[in-house]
Amino acid sequence: MIGKLNHVAIVVPDLAAASALYRNALGAAVTQPVPLPDHGVTTVFVELPNTKIELLHPLGEGSPVQKFLDGNPSGGMHHVCYEVEDIHAAIEHLVAEGARVLGDGKPRTGAHGLPVVFLHPKDFCGTLVELEEVAGARAASAG
Ligand code: CO
């Protein structure tokens, strides 16, 4: 069902420092920060040849990543995002398999303007999993 690894998200205490680290020490292409107030985060994308790294920093009150940062002051891996071709079919399948979809269980618009859902980390080996609907996800992963 899942296709490509779309991104790995890392929560960072200092977005400018993390961007510079990826740009200078690791020599990666790094985007400008993009504030996403609806999600309570500011994101920077690190573009790799086969996937992306999403650097996340809390934005505003009650950011979902603030608690994570409180528990992990130097930052840490937050979630992995897999592409799916049909997010509604994926949700139906996962619920039938006993997995829990976070929130109201319905897709919302994610960082790339595409529908996403998050799956309960306790159901996936202690890792928060994001699914993103990408047209042709399966065809692309097979190619
Ligand atoms: Co993500």
Side-chain angles (χ1 to χ4, degrees):
M1 180 176 72
I2 58 171
K4 284 185 181 172
L5 174 68
N6 186 276
H7 61 268
V8 174
I10 299 173
V11 174
V12 301
D14 182 333
L15 210 43
S19 298
L21 186 67
Y22 270 82
R23 186 181 292 116
N24 302 331
L26 294 173
V30 176
T31 67
Q32 290 302 307
V34 180
L36 298 170
D38 289 356
H39 294 267
V41 293
T42 302
T43 62
V44 164
F45 277 96
V46 180
E47 313 276 357
L48 304 183
N50 63 338
T51 190
K52 295 184 279 288
I53 305 298
E54 183 183 68
L55 304 176
L56 295 175
H57 188 75
L59 174 65
E61 293 290 306
S63 168
V65 299
Q66 183 60 59
K67 211 177 264 181
F68 182 92
L69 200 53
D70 292 344
N72 305 271
S74 350
M77 210 202 87
H78 186 260
H79 65 267
V80 293
C81 176
Y82 303 122
E83 297 181 0
V84 295
E85 194 154 78
D86 180 339
I87 204 160
H88 290 98
I91 291 167
E92 198 175 315
H93 175 76
L94 283 156
V95 169
E97 291 288 323
R100 288 167 286 178
V101 177
L102 298 185
D104 64 4
K106 295 193 173 64
R108 47 197 297 235
T109 302
H112 313 113
L114 296 167
V116 303
V117 287
F118 285 90
L119 307 174
H120 202 299
K122 289 207 168 121
D123 298 338
F124 290 94
C125 316
T127 304
L128 179 62
V129 172
E130 179 180 18
L131 298 178
E132 182 172 276
E133 184 173 277
V134 176
R138 203 162 6 154
S141 71

